[in-house]
Amino acid sequence: MLNNKLNFWFCIQIYQKYGRVLIYRISLRLMSNLNKKVVVIGSGFAGLCAAGTLAKQGFKVLLIEKNDQIGGRARIWKEKGFTFDMGPSWYWMPEVFENYYQQFGKKASDFYHLKRLSPSYRIYFGKNDQVDVPSDYQSLRNLFEEIEPGSGDKLFRFLKDAKYKYETGMNDFVWRPSNSITEFFELRIVKALFKMNLFGSVSAEVRNLFKHPKLRKLLEFPVLFLGATPQNTPGLYSLMNYADLVLGTWYPMGGMNEIVKAMEQIALEQGVEIHVNEEVRSIEHQQDKITKVITSKSSYEVDGVIAAADYAHVDKEILTKEFSNYSLTEWDKKTMSPSSLLFYVGINKRLKNILHHNLFFDEDFEQHAKEIYTEPQWPSKPLFYVCCPSLLDRSTAPEGHENLFFLIPLAPGLQDSEAEREKYFEMMLDRLEKYSGEEIRTHIVVKRSYAMNDFVKDYHSYKGNAYGLANTLLQTAFLKPKMKSKRLKNLYYAGQLTVPGPGVPPAIISGQLAAMELSKSLQ
Ligand SMILES: Cc1cc2nc3c(=O)[nH]c(=O)nc-3n(C[C@H](O)[C@H](O)[C@H](O)COP(=O)(O)OP(=O)(O)OC[C@H]3O[C@@H](n4cnc5c(N)ncnc54)[C@H](O)[C@@H]3O)c2cc1C
């Protein structure tokens, strides 16, 4: 009791001494930002979060998007009563979303209802050979024991290690702008890097512990989100297994685009002005500062710019050679994440035998990886993914219908044609029908394909990449394309091609990081 009184008295003294000064300083800073204008190029998650963060700090923010809808790769396509999420479908790491909303005094539940999927997803290894990945730890452990006796304890150790990586990664690493290696010169950080197995691979880690091919596939799958093979993905990224198997797979009712709507609402409440159907074409500068952003419709005077459109497009098309961070030759040498062949399909029947997320790992994983990374070509026997959100969320399809999303990862930069797309659609349908025992072909009422050419046309995506840059060792942290422009003091890049990397949660972090860095540089 006495202690509490003393603490309270102490807090009052501190507030009286420093509190007013602090509040005065914060107000001064906000006031000094008030008349500063920032343009954010691109309205994906990175752009939306950069815009919201800067506007909250008092900047006058204009968010410019070339397409008629905001959200970037998370746009929607509506047709005949169906609503298709065009890109992301896995909601992982919910705390990253909550952290963003929290800064505005909000939470995810203010915008959408999140449901945890249970089972999390299904993996098809062949006909009558499938595994449903449970959402609770004990059932997961039982599943591991069933597949490989003795693997339950190993799973416990593996996930304990993955938890350490996840927590250290999220608390210590992802919030560093990684402008320089010196940001990591701290004994604690260097020690952590070794403990996190930065120099080993996810694949080696998994294969050292688990022998059964099914368990290996299950544990190697999450890093595919990071755009590289498990063999080429640093061991630290087994943190993704923690995100997958412990933190869980979630779904925002209404679809992934609900996140876009939430972030749009936040941006508008903070005073961000949003322009769609307007493309940024070039910039004007004085010495080492951008002074104007030129678009397809107008031009805007600026104090600062966040480039949250595809990084390579900004370097190649918006900036002149002398100002771009990387030359064409340098971009060409980088390892891009895969592109994708997608199909949005509506069928006029309900399905019983598949789950929300279904992975078809019934063909040779290594062969497909080779055809993406080392010998780029259309895959001979692709692995693929099918999502059926309407099983849970009836708002995505008309009564008695089902909403399906198909995805095959493909090498970036391949020649794309309708005939080729169709061939792969047939392949996927054959396997989906065979394994699920459901007739689908004859029930299709809506169908649209989407692949490399569309990624280039719609997002100015370099080589038609879907998820940005691959997270290989040589493209991790300070080795990734830099957030900070080397030549223009008031330009910062954000999004999946810079730090921390591909995926919705990293794009959210990237936008906030770039905003904080730009804000500091404009003080
Ligand atoms: C098919 C697919 C499935 C995916 N699945 C998942 C998943 O399940 N879970 C997950 O976490 N992640 C997933 N991802 C990855 C995730 O969607 C992306 O990493 C993330 O959305 C990228 O956000 P961003 O803001 O960096 O870029 P983008 O979303 O690409 O936003 C960039 C924006 O800039 C605009 N733009 C480009 N040039 C200009 C210009 N000159 N002027 C104005 N605007 C411009 C573009 O139109 C675009 O709107 C998936 C991606 C795809 C494509």
Side-chain angles (χ1 to χ4, degrees):
M1 185 68 180
L2 182 67
N3 249 350
N4 280 348
K5 273 192 182 158
L6 281 175
N7 281 342
F8 182 67
W9 177 83
F10 185 67
C11 289
I12 295 281
Q13 296 299 307
I14 291 281
Y15 171 76
Q16 283 179 344
K17 200 161 176 199
Y18 302 109
R20 278 181 224 152
V21 180
L22 203 68
I23 289 169
Y24 176 68
R25 283 205 182 142
I26 293 172
S27 314
L28 261 189
R29 194 168 159 186
L30 286 177
M31 297 275 280
S32 79
N33 291 342
L34 265 185
N35 293 320
K36 291 188 183 146
K37 295 181 224 108
V38 174
V39 159
V40 176
I41 311 172
S43 71
F45 291 113
L48 280 165
C49 292
T53 306
L54 284 163
K56 183 161 185 277
Q57 293 185 14
F59 291 96
K60 197 164 180 293
V61 182
L62 171 60
L63 176 62
I64 303 180
E65 168 58 50
K66 76 178 269 292
N67 292 326
D68 60 0
Q69 256 183 69
I70 62 164
R73 280 154 164 91
R75 291 179 303 154
I76 43 173
W77 178 54
K78 281 179 181 261
E79 183 75 4
K80 294 187 183 161
F82 293 91
T83 303
F84 296 97
D85 275 316
M86 293 187 71
S89 53
W90 299 72
Y91 192 109
W92 276 8
M93 307 183 185
E95 66 174 321
V96 173
F97 300 77
E98 291 295 357
N99 284 346
Y100 180 68
Y101 299 140
Q102 233 169 47
Q103 289 173 46
F104 304 91
K106 310 262 191 201
K107 41 196 184 322
S109 59
D110 292 332
F111 304 107
Y112 45 81
H113 178 48
L114 262 186
K115 280 203 173 168
R116 185 165 181 176
L117 300 181
S118 183
S120 302
Y121 49 93
R122 171 172 293 171
I123 304 180
Y124 285 101
F125 294 105
K127 185 147 172 68
N128 300 325
D129 187 8
Q130 67 207 41
V131 163
D132 289 352
V133 179
S135 60
D136 71 290
Y137 176 70
Q138 195 48 51
S139 312
L140 182 72
R141 194 185 159 108
N142 295 345
L143 173 76
F144 269 61
E145 280 292 342
E146 225 173 81
I147 297 176
E148 184 181 314
S151 63
D153 284 345
K154 292 179 188 167
L155 174 70
F156 178 78
R157 287 205 319 266
F158 179 78
L159 288 179
K160 193 169 159 224
D161 199 36
K163 178 175 194 272
Y164 168 78
K165 291 176 187 173
Y166 181 85
E167 286 171 353
T168 314
M170 295 310 276
N171 296 330
D172 262 343
F173 289 90
V174 292
W175 289 100
R176 288 170 197 260
S178 304
N179 288 322
S180 148
I181 188 172
T182 56
E183 287 172 36
F184 298 83
F185 284 176
E186 229 181 284
L187 190 60
R188 185 177 58 88
I189 298 291
V190 175
K191 273 188 188 162
L193 278 174
F194 277 97
K195 209 169 158 198
M196 287 165 82
N197 190 18
L198 183 66
F199 303 105
S201 75
V202 165
S203 174
E205 229 174 77
V206 168
R207 283 158 195 250
N208 276 341
L209 282 175
F210 306 95
K211 300 283 166 276
H212 201 288
K214 283 185 184 166
L215 296 188
R216 288 178 168 181
K217 280 184 185 174
L218 192 159
L219 293 171
E220 287 180 352
F221 136 73
V223 300
L224 297 182
F225 278 124
L226 303 174
T229 59
Q231 288 75 12
N232 280 331
T233 304
L236 101 90
Y237 288 110
S238 63
L239 63 86
M240 294 288 282
N241 294 106
Y242 182 71
D244 166 12
L245 300 173
V246 181
L247 300 179
T249 300
W250 300 75
Y251 176 80
M253 293 301 283
M256 295 294 280
N257 193 256
E258 294 302 303
I259 315 164
V260 174
K261 289 184 195 145
M263 290 178 179
E264 177 186 28
Q265 187 181 321
I266 286 176
L268 293 173
E269 280 170 8
Q270 295 301 318
V272 174
E273 193 178 326
I274 301 179
H275 291 191
V276 290
N277 287 318
E278 185 167 349
E279 179 164 339
V280 174
R281 295 267 162 83
S282 60
I283 55 124
E284 280 179 13
H285 68 99
Q286 268 173 18
Q287 282 105 32
D288 55 2
K289 284 198 174 146
I290 302 181
T291 49
K292 241 183 209 176
V293 167
I294 321 293
T295 73
S296 50
K297 291 187 176 163
S298 188
S299 67
Y300 305 93
E301 286 183 359
V302 291
D303 297 290
V305 174
I306 299 277
D310 255 54
Y311 198 136
H313 159 71
V314 177
D315 268 3
K316 279 186 328 151
E317 314 287 344
I318 298 179
L319 303 175
T320 52
K321 244 190 203 167
E322 58 173 320
F323 288 119
S324 58
N325 256 11
Y326 302 95
S327 66
L328 260 183
T329 331
E330 285 171 301
W331 273 112
D332 203 39
K333 284 187 191 144
K334 297 192 190 302
T335 312
M336 301 312 290
S337 78
S339 185
S340 294
L341 170 59
L342 311 173
F343 283 91
Y344 312 106
V345 176
I347 58 171
N348 62 4
K349 71 180 274 199
R350 299 296 315 271
L351 296 176
K352 289 189 207 77
N353 298 336
I354 61 168
L355 294 186
H356 188 110
H357 295 298
N358 308 274
L359 299 162
F360 289 77
F361 286 1
D362 51 324
E363 294 289 357
D364 186 0
F365 197 93
E366 268 82 39
Q367 180 62 24
H368 190 172
K370 199 161 107 189
E371 290 160 342
I372 294 176
Y373 296 102
T374 47
E375 294 166 21
Q377 59 191 285
W378 283 82
S380 39
K381 291 177 181 166
L383 309 184
F384 65 99
Y385 158 63
V386 174
C387 181
C388 185
S390 50
L391 290 173
L392 175 70
D393 182 358
R394 290 308 307 154
S395 73
T396 61
E399 196 49 46
H401 291 62
E402 219 76 86
N403 172 320
L404 293 167
F405 168 93
F406 293 72
L407 182 153
I408 301 184
L410 293 175
L414 290 183
Q415 280 299 323
D416 176 15
S417 73
E418 263 314 312
E420 206 70 56
R421 292 180 184 195
E422 208 43 42
K423 184 172 119 194
Y424 285 89
F425 185 56
E426 289 300 318
M427 256 187 225
M428 288 192 283
L429 275 183
D430 282 345
R431 282 154 65 188
L432 175 60
E433 287 189 338
K434 184 163 122 199
Y435 299 151
S436 69
E438 305 250 25
E439 195 175 310
I440 290 168
R441 231 181 222 93
T442 50
H443 293 274
I444 296 175
V445 289
V446 165
K447 179 178 156 199
R448 174 180 173 189
S449 69
Y450 198 95
M452 280 75 77
N453 293 349
D454 305 288
F455 281 107
V456 175
K457 182 168 90 25
D458 289 351
Y459 307 117
H460 289 312
S461 149
Y462 182 61
K463 294 188 179 174
N465 81 78
Y467 335 103
L469 207 67
N471 268 18
T472 58
L473 178 60
L474 294 178
Q475 296 185 157
T476 289
F478 54 85
L479 299 173
K480 268 194 195 300
K482 297 270 181 282
M483 216 166 225
K484 186 172 161 45
S485 162
K486 294 174 194 163
R487 296 169 189 95
L488 292 161
K489 281 194 173 143
N490 57 350
L491 169 66
Y492 283 81
Y493 297 80
Q496 59 178 1
L497 279 113
T498 178
V499 284
V504 178
I508 291 173
I509 292 170
S510 183
Q512 293 175 81
L513 254 181
M516 291 187 287
E517 289 299 295
L518 176 67
S519 169
K520 268 192 271 165
S521 79
L522 292 179
Q523 298 310 314

